[in-house]
Amino acid sequence: MSSDPLAARLTAVAGPLFFPVTAYDAAGSVDVDVFRAHVRRGIDAGAAAVFACCGTGEFHALTPEEFRLVVAAAVEETAGQVPVVAGAGYGTALAVRFAELAEEAGADGLLAMPPYLVHAGQEGLLAHYTALAGATGLETIVYQRDNAVFTPATVLALARTPGIIGLKDGYGDLDLMQRIVSAVRTGLTGEDFLYFNGLPTAELTGLAYRGIGVTLYSSAVFAFAPDIALAFYRALDSGDDGLVNALLDAFYRPLVELRAQGRGYAVSLVKAGVRLQGLDVGEVRSPLTEPPAAHIEELAEIIASGRALLERHGARGRG
């Protein structure tokens, strides 16, 4: 764990935010060595941060003991090169427990995922995230999606809460996000608050989010095709909309259309992609299921198409 503020570290390295999958062996147990190899590949490829045991890392499927083991492995493998942010979720008591485990494991921060199942009001959500942020010394990013969607006033209150440094948006309402950005900008004078595009395959909406000033985003693609993800990141960051649009047309749109063909593909398809690149991270845990062979073959073709485009443009991403 670094003593430097997490917000500064998340913006210090120009690169995608890496959400590694959790590796399992043939018996279905966590494979720490393969996970560490996966994390190392991401760091070497140019990741700006490692978000361990979050949605792509199957937080929902891990026991507390496994969670701590995996977060600790990410911390050890990164060795301070980039920050490690761990997921935390469920009800308040369990979310606090996972936060404590993440802190024990040496994580630099938390990604606070929606509470389990219940649809709470704004007051209850604010109380939940305030309690979570105050439970440890870890700085916290709140994840907006599903049953945790906030009004601008609630986000302003979250931004004023000690320990909460940002909002990751997985809901996708740009009108709401613009109002949130405006409310925090006018109500949080002199303080920075981070925003992240957290939609599945966030690159697809990167241009739209950039228009309201949201430039940080999570990249599931980086887990299995870091060269493509990094090339897209650099093109988006530099304003090379020609390459951005070419990658959207040849790679990202086909990928999203494939992802839409199966339940849970935001995780299982990513894991299949990692295996296609030669690292056996195992299959997803139930209740998720694996894509059929035809979809994995289609994924391989989409990856090949993206890389062929980069070769033509001379823009192959490099760490």
Side-chain angles (χ1 to χ4, degrees), residues 64-90:
E65 296 77 15
E66 289 172 329
F67 170 87
R68 190 189 189 288
L69 180 68
V70 173
V71 173
V75 171
E76 291 165 5
E77 193 61 39
T78 58
Q81 289 179 260
V82 297
V84 174
V85 178
Y90 303 122

Side-chain angles (χ1 to χ4, degrees), residues 5 10 23 27 45 54 86 105 129 150 164-165 221 268 278 298 301 312:
L10 286 171
C54 296
Y129 291 109
F150 310 107
I164 296 180
I165 65 166
V221 169
S268 61
E298 186 175 347
E301 292 171 354
R312 292 195 298 273

Side-chain angles (χ1 to χ4, degrees), residues 72-267:
V75 171
E76 291 165 5
E77 193 61 39
T78 58
Q81 289 179 260
V82 297
V84 174
V85 178
Y90 303 122
T92 306
L94 269 178
V96 165
R97 182 59 186 141
F98 277 103
E100 292 169 344
L101 291 170
E103 187 171 44
E104 291 173 11
D108 297 284
L110 298 173
L111 177 63
M113 292 181 283
Y116 171 73
L117 194 60
V118 296
H119 288 264
Q122 296 294 299
E123 182 180 355
L125 290 170
L126 181 58
H128 170 77
Y129 291 109
T130 299
L132 179 56
T136 70
L138 299 179
E139 293 174 294
T140 300
I141 299 161
V142 175
Y143 196 177
Q144 169 169 265
R145 61 175 294 170
D146 300 327
N147 59 323
V149 178
F150 310 107
T151 65
T154 298
V155 178
L156 177 56
L158 289 170
R160 289 171 171 166
T161 300
I164 296 180
I165 65 166
L167 178 75
K168 180 182 178 185
D169 179 47
Y171 187 57
D173 184 336
L174 285 174
D175 176 276
L176 174 61
M177 275 303 295
Q178 180 63 82
R179 288 185 287 115
I180 286 171
V181 170
S182 176
V184 174
R185 183 170 57 232
T186 56
L188 199 68
T189 307
E191 298 182 48
D192 293 326
F193 192 67
L194 301 180
Y195 298 97
F196 305 77
N197 175 357
L199 289 170
T201 317
E203 288 92 342
L204 193 71
T205 52
L207 287 168
Y209 274 80
R210 187 180 68 178
I212 59 171
V214 179
T215 57
L216 295 169
Y217 63 88
S218 54
S219 177
V221 169
F222 190 84
F224 63 88
D227 50 342
I228 297 175
L230 188 57
F232 183 91
Y233 175 90
R234 289 173 173 167
L236 186 65
D237 186 56
S238 66
D240 185 356
D241 289 354
L243 181 55
V244 166
N245 285 322
L247 283 168
L248 288 175
D249 294 345
F251 176 79
Y252 285 102
R253 178 175 57 81
L255 176 64
V256 169
E257 290 172 348
L258 175 60
R259 189 195 69 213
Q261 294 185 46
R263 293 277 190 177
Y265 272 19
V267 179

